[in-house]
Amino acid sequence: MANFNVKIDGLGDVLKMFDNVGGQQAVNDVDKITETYARKMASESAEMAPVDTGALKNSLASSPRQAPEPHTWQWGSDKEYATRQEYEHKTKKAFVRKAIWTNENDYVDAVKRRITKG
């Protein structure tokens, strides 16, 4: 599977601070925000993906799932050519990275808003 990983560095330290901003409910809220943005990025990357048979697009759109690690969502494609298309396609390359770049600041802002809500 061609997984494109988005990792939050320092998440453990942040989770320790959650006791001051709502405890377990705050953690649950941030998990929900993370799920929402993972699904949004997967959907947007699918819309921007090159289409021949539609298999790549469908694999991206249907891929978001909770990872084995806590507070982590992942998405990607099980198509062997996904990574090649992401980096080498003449007109549609970076369809996954663009979805991440487009949503990165909004995701961070949404988490900050929840944490500062207290």
Side-chain angles (χ1 to χ4, degrees):
M1 174 182 253
N3 282 322
F4 303 95
N5 296 314
V6 179
K7 184 178 179 184
I8 303 170
D9 291 324
L11 183 60
D13 294 332
V14 171
L15 291 175
K16 289 177 190 174
M17 294 185 285
F18 272 64
D19 285 337
N20 299 329
V21 294
Q24 188 58 46
Q25 184 58 50
V27 171
N28 293 343
D29 292 348
V30 171
D31 281 345
K32 191 66 174 165
I33 292 167
T34 302
E35 175 186 0
T36 299
Y37 275 90
R39 292 184 185 283
K40 185 174 191 290
M41 287 185 266
S43 177
E44 289 178 8
S45 67
E47 290 300 316
M48 293 185 284
V51 177
D52 182 18
T53 65
L56 176 59
K57 179 178 182 171
N58 292 339
S59 69
L60 288 165
S62 65
S63 70
R65 65 184 176 282
Q66 194 163 19
E69 301 84 25
H71 318 296
T72 305
W73 278 76
Q74 62 187 23
W75 53 278
S77 174
D78 59 352
K79 303 303 169 200
E80 293 178 11
Y81 54 88
T83 303
R84 184 171 191 141
Q85 292 293 334
E86 168 69 9
Y87 290 97
E88 298 178 14
H89 194 280
K90 289 181 183 178
T91 61
K92 301 264 187 174
K93 68 180 169 186
F95 53 94
V96 170
R97 291 173 289 162
K98 285 177 186 171
I100 294 168
W101 297 331
T102 300
N103 288 286
E104 181 179 18
N105 290 333
D106 290 342
Y107 170 70
V108 170
D109 290 344
V111 170
K112 284 180 183 176
R113 273 193 310 277
R114 174 52 190 100
I115 291 172
T116 58
K117 176 176 141 183

